[in-house]
Amino acid sequence: MAVEHTAATPPGDQTRIHNIGYRTYDGPRLGRAYARRSLYSQSLRGAYGLGRSVKSKVLPILLFIVMCVPAAIMVAVAVATKAKELPVEYTRYAILMQAVISLYVASQAPQSVSRDLRFKTVPLYFSRPIETADYVRAKYAALASALFILTAAPLLVLYVGALLAKLDFAHQTKGFAQGLVSVALLSLLFAGIGLVIASVTPRRGFGIAAVIAVLTISYGAVSVLQAIADAQSNTGVIPWIGLFSPVTLIDGLQSAFLGATARNPGSVAPTTAEGVVYVLVVLGVIAASYGLLLRRYRKVGL
């Protein structure tokens, strides 16, 4: 638009201020905490497809149902047969269903972070007031919470069913509590690993394949090596091999401290000293995942 020269505007000066009607905002500034909570809530809802298309809801809801149906069947059998114990321990259920959990992580970790990378919206998050740590905490907490819901729901089904079957209240409550501790650690561990892998690529398909590969190949390799060690009667090395897979890490930790039965070949459980190493490795991987995410998003957000 051409700018007219007036007496107040020298012929060589093209500067003019126009009032185009924008209004100032005088309301409350909700700040970083509110923005972080909103991002957490949005990410958690998105992990189950809430607020998104019907197509986005199918897989997470289907996996949630697949996690809970076996628990409901076990409860029905226990009630019908008047069993004295549930068919499976609370701490063992997630290990038995680890393939479903891995698939959920592989599908939702890239969904949580890869889209932001692909459409280059991360710098917009960091413009103000959210900072790198806020984004990472919200995303990490959201996926860990979604995983906890996925893994704790069937344990709740088992617990309620056990009470309906009139099994020992104290014993069932203790087992249920141990199971919740186990799946809480599993959720933090798997969420951290999944997000670190997914944050490397903006391509969701690559992220899904990479997460599945890391979780399943590591478990398969460790299981094979443990089986070989058991066949050679070298049982002392079995717990140490278990340190190299997320699934066997959780299994070894709960076998050492949460009263679970080890799924290692020969049911070889870690000793208390080896169990301490398992705890340190689990906490170390969780902390390392958080640190790597912070480092990654400091670069992405530039």
Side-chain angles (χ1 to χ4, degrees):
M1 181 177 65
V3 179
E4 296 181 359
H5 298 293
T6 64
T9 305
D13 188 358
Q14 299 296 315
T15 302
R16 176 169 293 188
I17 298 175
H18 295 272
N19 181 0
I20 58 177
Y22 286 126
R23 299 177 60 184
T24 59
Y25 176 73
D26 298 323
R29 302 288 179 176
L30 300 178
R32 288 174 56 190
Y34 178 81
R36 186 168 56 243
R37 288 195 302 271
S38 298
L39 182 58
Y40 165 79
S41 174
Q42 179 191 37
S43 300
L44 179 57
R45 285 168 53 83
Y48 285 97
L50 302 179
R52 296 168 54 201
S53 65
V54 175
K55 182 180 178 181
S56 300
K57 296 179 176 66
V58 173
L59 183 59
I61 298 301
L62 178 62
L63 293 177
F64 182 84
I65 293 172
V66 170
M67 283 291 294
C68 292
V69 167
I73 294 174
M74 292 176 188
V75 165
V77 170
V79 172
T81 60
K82 298 181 180 180
K84 300 298 182 181
E85 291 287 345
L86 291 172
V88 65
E89 298 173 340
Y90 292 97
T91 49
R92 191 174 183 184
Y93 190 86
I95 303 299
L96 292 174
M97 303 295 290
Q98 55 93 12
V100 179
I101 299 171
S102 297
L103 182 58
Y104 181 87
V105 176
S107 64
Q108 296 309 313
Q111 174 61 39
S112 181
V113 296
S114 295
R115 287 166 58 90
D116 291 342
L117 295 171
R118 183 177 181 182
F119 296 109
K120 303 184 186 303
T121 57
V122 175
L124 298 179
Y125 281 113
F126 299 160
S127 60
R128 203 171 183 179
I130 282 183
E131 297 182 359
T132 304
D134 299 318
Y135 181 88
V136 171
R137 289 170 191 162
K139 290 293 185 177
Y140 199 151
L143 185 57
S145 298
L147 274 170
F148 183 75
I149 292 171
L150 181 78
T151 53
L155 300 188
L156 181 61
V157 173
L158 288 174
Y159 181 63
V160 172
L163 297 183
L164 292 176
K166 298 181 180 180
L167 302 183
D168 183 71
F169 175 79
H171 178 68
Q172 296 302 320
T173 301
K174 179 182 178 181
F176 179 57
Q178 291 172 332
L180 290 180
V181 172
S182 174
V183 297
L185 290 171
L186 182 148
S187 299
L188 288 170
L189 181 64
F190 277 49
I193 294 173
L195 287 174
V196 167
I197 297 171
S199 68
V200 174
T201 174
R203 302 296 295 272
R204 184 184 176 191
F206 290 162
I208 292 173
V211 173
I212 291 177
V214 169
L215 294 179
T216 59
I217 292 177
S218 64
Y219 176 69
V222 165
S223 298
V224 169
L225 291 175
Q226 288 179 328
I228 293 173
D230 183 59
Q232 296 178 347
S233 300
N234 191 8
T235 57
V237 78
I238 290 177
W240 297 108
I241 297 175
L243 294 171
F244 297 94
S245 165
V247 177
T248 52
L249 265 175
I250 297 298
D251 183 53
L253 185 152
Q254 64 183 17
S255 299
F257 297 113
L258 297 176
T261 302
R263 291 196 67 203
N264 295 333
S267 298
V268 179
T271 63
T272 301
E274 292 168 342
V276 171
V277 176
Y278 269 75
V279 173
L280 293 176
V281 172
V282 169
L283 296 179
V285 173
I286 293 172
S289 298
Y290 178 73
L292 289 172
L293 286 170
L294 284 177
R295 182 178 180 182
R296 168 64 172 157
Y297 281 97
R298 285 195 183 101
K299 295 180 178 179
V300 174
L302 294 177

